[in-house]
Structure formats: structure tokens, C-alpha cells
Amino acid sequence: MHGPAMSGWLLMALCGVTGAYCLLRMRSGTEEERRTARAEAVMGFGMAAMALPAAAVPPPAWGWAVFVALFGGAALRALWFARHRGHHLHHLVGSLAMVYMAVAMAPGSGGAGHGGASGHGMHQMAHVAGGVPLLTGLLLVYYTAYVLRSGARLIPVAVTAGTGGEQAGAAWGARPELALACRLTMGIAMLAMLLTL
């Protein structure tokens, strides 16, 4: 099972770097931009922790409850701020997806074999289909659309950034194309995690 463990480590590294960049973004911009960067940093680091290969670093039996509490709180926060900004609805969906994946990882839920090396665990995950198949499918559709939309938005931003001189001296935390690339990265990572439920 070298392949799944390696992809887990790569996903963990990618989400960790994304979370670290979001921390860097918190140092500049408006209060709303800093709030968004904080929410995205929590999501990036949470996804990195959840992506750890269970065969290499077995999660504690209570780990899923920590994820549920953390991302349940993040979902309530996103719901509160979504009254004023529609972008927080995406944070709400992401936080609820993390709660859903954490519950699927809970012992006895059928997802306890998440990342496990035994064939029995893989068979069990395939049989349970990562929780509620309809909800998993809806989340996959949502994140596929989000990734395609973010990727399409990134192309014009990258072209504009490459031709405009004003972007050359911009601080790393204030580069819109990098923030968009981080969101795209987290969307792709969420797709990968949902596919492995």
C-alpha cells in the first residue's frame, strides 16, 4: 500500500503549505480579507491533519471528535459571516464537508478503515461508500464545479498579473492569483479526500 500512503503524505504537505500561505495572507489586506485568510488557514491545516496516512501515523480514537468540534465551530462562524458576504457560504460548505468526513472516520462508522493498509478495511470502505452516497456525490459535484470555476478564474488573473507592472512589487500575502491558487488547491484536495472516503 505504498501508493496510498505516498499520496496521503503529498496531500498533507500540499494542504500544510496552503495553510501556511493563508497565515501569511493574514498579515495584509482588509479585515474581511484577513478573516477569509484565517478561515482558509484553519481549513488547510485541518485537511493536512486529516490527510495523514493512518498506516504511518494512526489517528487517536477520539481524533474524529476533535475534527467535528473544530469544524462544527468553523461552520457556525461561516454561517454568521455569510449574512454579509456570500463567499463565506463556501467556507460553510467546506466546514460541513470536514465534519462529514470526520464522522465517516469515527470508529464503528464504517469509515474507520480510512487510509488503513488492510484489504478488509478497503472492502468495508467500498461497501459503505464513505457515508451517505448521495451526500458524498453532492459534495463531489460541488467541489468539481468549484475547482473548474476557480481554475477558469485563475487563467485571466495569471495573464493580467504577468503583464501588469504593478503586481511585480506586490507583497506575497497580497497577490490575488496566489490566494486564488490556494483556494483551487484546497478544492482539489477536498475532491481527493472525498474520493477516498
Side-chain angles (χ1 to χ4, degrees), residues 40-152:
E40 291 171 353
V42 168
M43 182 66 69
F45 289 129
M47 290 172 71
M50 198 177 276
L52 274 170
V57 184
W62 46 264
W64 70 274
V66 172
F67 282 118
V68 168
L70 175 67
F71 287 103
L76 291 174
R77 182 179 182 276
L79 184 61
W80 176 260
F81 288 115
R83 298 172 307 143
H84 305 295
R85 293 280 194 182
H87 180 69
H88 290 284
L89 289 174
H90 173 68
H91 294 157
L92 175 63
V93 171
S95 296
L96 292 176
M98 292 294 280
V99 168
Y100 173 66
M101 288 189 290
V103 170
M105 287 172 33
S109 69
H114 176 67
S118 72
H120 175 68
M122 295 301 246
H123 173 72
Q124 188 179 27
M125 285 192 303
H127 177 68
V128 174
V132 181
L134 178 61
L135 185 53
T136 303
L138 288 173
L139 287 169
L140 286 169
V141 168
Y142 173 82
Y143 276 100
T144 299
Y146 180 80
V147 163
L148 292 173
R149 181 175 164 261
S150 296

Side-chain angles (χ1 to χ4, degrees), residues 7-32:
S7 61
W9 286 116
L10 290 172
L11 190 61
M12 185 208 72
L14 188 62
C15 292
V17 168
T18 301
Y21 177 71
C22 291
L23 287 180
L24 182 64
R25 284 177 38 223
M26 287 170 44
R27 298 175 57 190
S28 61
T30 65
E31 178 57 34
E32 177 62 27

